[in-house]
Amino acid sequence: MNKPLILIVEDDPPIRNLISVALESHDYRALVAANAGSAIMEASSHNPDIMLLDLGLPDLDGVEVIRKIRSWSNMPIIVISARSDDSDKIEALDAGADDYLTKPFSVDELLARLRVTLRRLNQAQNESPETAVFVNGPLRIDYAAGCAYMREEELHLTPIEYKLLCVLARNCGKVLTHKYITQQVWGTAWETNVASLRVFMATLRKKLESSSDTQVYIQTHVGIGYRMMKVSE
Ligand code: CA
């Protein structure tokens, strides 16, 4: 694979330079944009592999940038946001962002997020959308048969748990908000569903993780949502 091209959208010059230098010294190519207008222009003319997007931009809210980009592109977007703004992160994820980084973050953290996203991207390119089987380490979901297996042993899931597992699997590597998940599973995002989501998630996780050593499949993002992690074999 060629060096991945990352578009850095950040209006703060020192942070922008820091990210760009860090990426270039770790085998990435970096493109930069200091505002929403040039971010959209750079994204459409260079088609970067991943966009790193600061939410607080001078000309337009970062969430609006995500909505615009999502009208024509599925490029992964990792949002960069301040610590106190969970609601901003949720709004950004619901608008179509893939992941988020909280300021201040370390270069290691940034590199780790990029690796997760690239892995997901490569996997998505190797799978057709009609793929009837999902495999993540020892976990296998046979969508056509409506069954899930761990190390070739069928998991006994309730219909809701199975639906939940499929929503997570179809978005493996991506952070999903409570609202998104409940909408997918129940068709609505009522508060009562968010509360039951927690319960169903706990039982699903127990079933996945008790039968598979110590692999962590489901990551909790407190106050935000959940993500299925790609696990090793
Ligand atoms: Ca900013």
Side-chain angles (χ1 to χ4, degrees), residues 9 11 13 47 55 57 79 101-102 107 139 159 184 201 226 231:
V9 185
D11 58 326
N47 198 23
L55 286 182
L57 295 171
V79 154
L101 264 170
T102 301
V107 168
L139 170 67
Q184 295 295 309
M201 198 60 95
Y226 300 92
V231 305

PDB file of all heavy atoms in Angstrom, residues 9 11 13 47 55 57 79 101-102 107 139 159 184 201 226 231:
ATOM      1  N   VAL A   9      -7.357  18.845   9.422  1.00  0.00           N
ATOM      2  CA  VAL A   9      -8.134  20.083   9.423  1.00  0.00           C
ATOM      3  C   VAL A   9      -8.087  20.657  10.833  1.00  0.00           C
ATOM      4  O   VAL A   9      -8.653  20.097  11.773  1.00  0.00           O
ATOM      5  CB  VAL A   9      -9.600  19.827   9.015  1.00  0.00           C
ATOM      6  CG1 VAL A   9     -10.348  21.143   8.893  1.00  0.00           C
ATOM      7  CG2 VAL A   9      -9.656  19.028   7.721  1.00  0.00           C
ATOM      8  N   ASP A  11      -7.423  24.669  12.865  1.00  0.00           N
ATOM      9  CA  ASP A  11      -7.141  26.098  12.676  1.00  0.00           C
ATOM     10  C   ASP A  11      -6.009  26.598  13.569  1.00  0.00           C
ATOM     11  O   ASP A  11      -5.526  27.704  13.389  1.00  0.00           O
ATOM     12  CB  ASP A  11      -8.413  26.931  12.905  1.00  0.00           C
ATOM     13  CG  ASP A  11      -9.001  26.720  14.288  1.00  0.00           C
ATOM     14  OD1 ASP A  11      -8.900  25.587  14.807  1.00  0.00           O
ATOM     15  OD2 ASP A  11      -9.552  27.676  14.857  1.00  0.00           O
ATOM     16  N   PRO A  13      -2.342  26.774  14.335  1.00  0.00           N
ATOM     17  CA  PRO A  13      -1.122  26.405  13.599  1.00  0.00           C
ATOM     18  C   PRO A  13      -0.159  25.485  14.361  1.00  0.00           C
ATOM     19  O   PRO A  13       0.324  24.511  13.778  1.00  0.00           O
ATOM     20  CB  PRO A  13      -0.472  27.751  13.262  1.00  0.00           C
ATOM     21  CG  PRO A  13      -1.596  28.733  13.310  1.00  0.00           C
ATOM     22  CD  PRO A  13      -2.543  28.220  14.354  1.00  0.00           C
ATOM     23  N   ASN A  47      -8.846  13.541  -2.416  1.00  0.00           N
ATOM     24  CA  ASN A  47      -9.404  12.266  -1.972  1.00  0.00           C
ATOM     25  C   ASN A  47      -8.518  11.551  -0.938  1.00  0.00           C
ATOM     26  O   ASN A  47      -8.054  10.437  -1.175  1.00  0.00           O
ATOM     27  CB  ASN A  47      -9.618  11.372  -3.201  1.00  0.00           C
ATOM     28  CG  ASN A  47     -10.574  10.250  -2.903  1.00  0.00           C
ATOM     29  OD1 ASN A  47     -11.375  10.358  -1.971  1.00  0.00           O
ATOM     30  ND2 ASN A  47     -10.476   9.169  -3.655  1.00  0.00           N
ATOM     31  N   LEU A  55     -13.253  20.076  15.536  1.00  0.00           N
ATOM     32  CA  LEU A  55     -14.657  20.506  15.438  1.00  0.00           C
ATOM     33  C   LEU A  55     -14.820  22.018  15.514  1.00  0.00           C
ATOM     34  O   LEU A  55     -15.760  22.572  14.977  1.00  0.00           O
ATOM     35  CB  LEU A  55     -15.490  19.836  16.539  1.00  0.00           C
ATOM     36  CG  LEU A  55     -15.805  18.349  16.352  1.00  0.00           C
ATOM     37  CD1 LEU A  55     -16.661  17.861  17.505  1.00  0.00           C
ATOM     38  CD2 LEU A  55     -16.499  18.089  15.023  1.00  0.00           C
ATOM     39  N   LEU A  57     -13.935  25.172  14.188  1.00  0.00           N
ATOM     40  CA  LEU A  57     -13.280  25.851  13.067  1.00  0.00           C
ATOM     41  C   LEU A  57     -13.844  27.258  12.928  1.00  0.00           C
ATOM     42  O   LEU A  57     -14.972  27.516  13.324  1.00  0.00           O
ATOM     43  CB  LEU A  57     -13.513  25.064  11.778  1.00  0.00           C
ATOM     44  CG  LEU A  57     -12.873  23.670  11.751  1.00  0.00           C
ATOM     45  CD1 LEU A  57     -13.355  22.900  10.533  1.00  0.00           C
ATOM     46  CD2 LEU A  57     -11.346  23.786  11.747  1.00  0.00           C
ATOM     47  N   VAL A  79     -12.677  12.752  14.466  1.00  0.00           N
ATOM     48  CA  VAL A  79     -12.935  14.082  14.988  1.00  0.00           C
ATOM     49  C   VAL A  79     -11.987  14.394  16.144  1.00  0.00           C
ATOM     50  O   VAL A  79     -11.660  13.519  16.940  1.00  0.00           O
ATOM     51  CB  VAL A  79     -14.405  14.117  15.446  1.00  0.00           C
ATOM     52  CG1 VAL A  79     -14.638  15.126  16.524  1.00  0.00           C
ATOM     53  CG2 VAL A  79     -15.309  14.343  14.260  1.00  0.00           C
ATOM     54  N   LEU A 101     -10.971  11.823  18.911  1.00  0.00           N
ATOM     55  CA  LEU A 101      -9.801  11.975  19.769  1.00  0.00           C
ATOM     56  C   LEU A 101     -10.076  13.171  20.651  1.00  0.00           C
ATOM     57  O   LEU A 101     -10.603  14.174  20.191  1.00  0.00           O
ATOM     58  CB  LEU A 101      -8.581  12.314  18.920  1.00  0.00           C
ATOM     59  CG  LEU A 101      -7.651  11.186  18.501  1.00  0.00           C
ATOM     60  CD1 LEU A 101      -6.679  11.728  17.465  1.00  0.00           C
ATOM     61  CD2 LEU A 101      -6.888  10.619  19.687  1.00  0.00           C
ATOM     62  N   THR A 102      -9.726  13.047  21.927  1.00  0.00           N
ATOM     63  CA  THR A 102      -9.994  14.141  22.849  1.00  0.00           C
ATOM     64  C   THR A 102      -8.715  14.935  23.086  1.00  0.00           C
ATOM     65  O   THR A 102      -7.665  14.353  23.347  1.00  0.00           O
ATOM     66  CB  THR A 102     -10.527  13.560  24.173  1.00  0.00           C
ATOM     67  OG1 THR A 102     -11.707  12.815  23.882  1.00  0.00           O
ATOM     68  CG2 THR A 102     -10.876  14.657  25.149  1.00  0.00           C
ATOM     69  N   VAL A 107       0.778  11.709  20.554  1.00  0.00           N
ATOM     70  CA  VAL A 107       1.051  11.225  19.208  1.00  0.00           C
ATOM     71  C   VAL A 107       0.768   9.725  19.122  1.00  0.00           C
ATOM     72  O   VAL A 107       0.197   9.235  18.149  1.00  0.00           O
ATOM     73  CB  VAL A 107       2.509  11.546  18.800  1.00  0.00           C
ATOM     74  CG1 VAL A 107       2.897  10.808  17.524  1.00  0.00           C
ATOM     75  CG2 VAL A 107       2.676  13.045  18.608  1.00  0.00           C
ATOM     76  N   LEU A 139     -14.649 -15.050  16.233  1.00  0.00           N
ATOM     77  CA  LEU A 139     -16.089 -14.785  16.093  1.00  0.00           C
ATOM     78  C   LEU A 139     -16.498 -14.856  14.624  1.00  0.00           C
ATOM     79  O   LEU A 139     -15.823 -14.280  13.767  1.00  0.00           O
ATOM     80  CB  LEU A 139     -16.416 -13.389  16.654  1.00  0.00           C
ATOM     81  CG  LEU A 139     -17.824 -12.848  16.376  1.00  0.00           C
ATOM     82  CD1 LEU A 139     -18.876 -13.665  17.120  1.00  0.00           C
ATOM     83  CD2 LEU A 139     -17.920 -11.372  16.761  1.00  0.00           C
ATOM     84  N   PRO A 159     -32.943 -12.778  20.154  1.00  0.00           N
ATOM     85  CA  PRO A 159     -33.050 -12.008  18.916  1.00  0.00           C
ATOM     86  C   PRO A 159     -32.465 -10.598  19.047  1.00  0.00           C
ATOM     87  O   PRO A 159     -31.808 -10.107  18.135  1.00  0.00           O
ATOM     88  CB  PRO A 159     -34.559 -11.975  18.649  1.00  0.00           C
ATOM     89  CG  PRO A 159     -35.079 -13.222  19.301  1.00  0.00           C
ATOM     90  CD  PRO A 159     -34.215 -13.416  20.526  1.00  0.00           C
ATOM     91  N   GLN A 184     -31.113   1.441  15.301  1.00  0.00           N
ATOM     92  CA  GLN A 184     -30.934   0.275  14.442  1.00  0.00           C
ATOM     93  C   GLN A 184     -31.633  -0.952  15.016  1.00  0.00           C
ATOM     94  O   GLN A 184     -32.178  -1.751  14.282  1.00  0.00           O
ATOM     95  CB  GLN A 184     -29.432  -0.046  14.284  1.00  0.00           C
ATOM     96  CG  GLN A 184     -28.646   1.029  13.565  1.00  0.00           C
ATOM     97  CD  GLN A 184     -29.082   1.180  12.122  1.00  0.00           C
ATOM     98  OE1 GLN A 184     -29.154   0.215  11.384  1.00  0.00           O
ATOM     99  NE2 GLN A 184     -29.400   2.400  11.731  1.00  0.00           N
ATOM    100  N   MET A 201     -26.379  -5.105  26.203  1.00  0.00           N
ATOM    101  CA  MET A 201     -24.955  -5.058  25.859  1.00  0.00           C
ATOM    102  C   MET A 201     -24.153  -5.863  26.874  1.00  0.00           C
ATOM    103  O   MET A 201     -23.215  -6.570  26.516  1.00  0.00           O
ATOM    104  CB  MET A 201     -24.495  -3.593  25.835  1.00  0.00           C
ATOM    105  CG  MET A 201     -23.222  -3.370  25.102  1.00  0.00           C
ATOM    106  SD  MET A 201     -23.300  -3.860  23.361  1.00  0.00           S
ATOM    107  CE  MET A 201     -23.705  -2.322  22.591  1.00  0.00           C
ATOM    108  N   TYR A 226     -20.685   2.595  21.946  1.00  0.00           N
ATOM    109  CA  TYR A 226     -19.884   1.369  21.943  1.00  0.00           C
ATOM    110  C   TYR A 226     -19.197   1.189  20.592  1.00  0.00           C
ATOM    111  O   TYR A 226     -19.628   1.740  19.596  1.00  0.00           O
ATOM    112  CB  TYR A 226     -20.770   0.146  22.165  1.00  0.00           C
ATOM    113  CG  TYR A 226     -21.523   0.167  23.468  1.00  0.00           C
ATOM    114  CD1 TYR A 226     -22.809   0.705  23.534  1.00  0.00           C
ATOM    115  CD2 TYR A 226     -20.955  -0.334  24.628  1.00  0.00           C
ATOM    116  CE1 TYR A 226     -23.511   0.733  24.740  1.00  0.00           C
ATOM    117  CE2 TYR A 226     -21.640  -0.313  25.830  1.00  0.00           C
ATOM    118  CZ  TYR A 226     -22.923   0.223  25.877  1.00  0.00           C
ATOM    119  OH  TYR A 226     -23.609   0.242  27.057  1.00  0.00           O
ATOM    120  N   VAL A 231     -10.271  -7.945  16.564  1.00  0.00           N
ATOM    121  CA  VAL A 231      -9.375  -8.682  17.452  1.00  0.00           C
ATOM    122  C   VAL A 231      -8.402  -9.514  16.618  1.00  0.00           C
ATOM    123  O   VAL A 231      -8.636  -9.766  15.440  1.00  0.00           O
ATOM    124  CB  VAL A 231     -10.144  -9.611  18.424  1.00  0.00           C
ATOM    125  CG1 VAL A 231     -11.165  -8.832  19.209  1.00  0.00           C
ATOM    126  CG2 VAL A 231     -10.797 -10.745  17.680  1.00  0.00           C
TER     127      VAL A 231
END
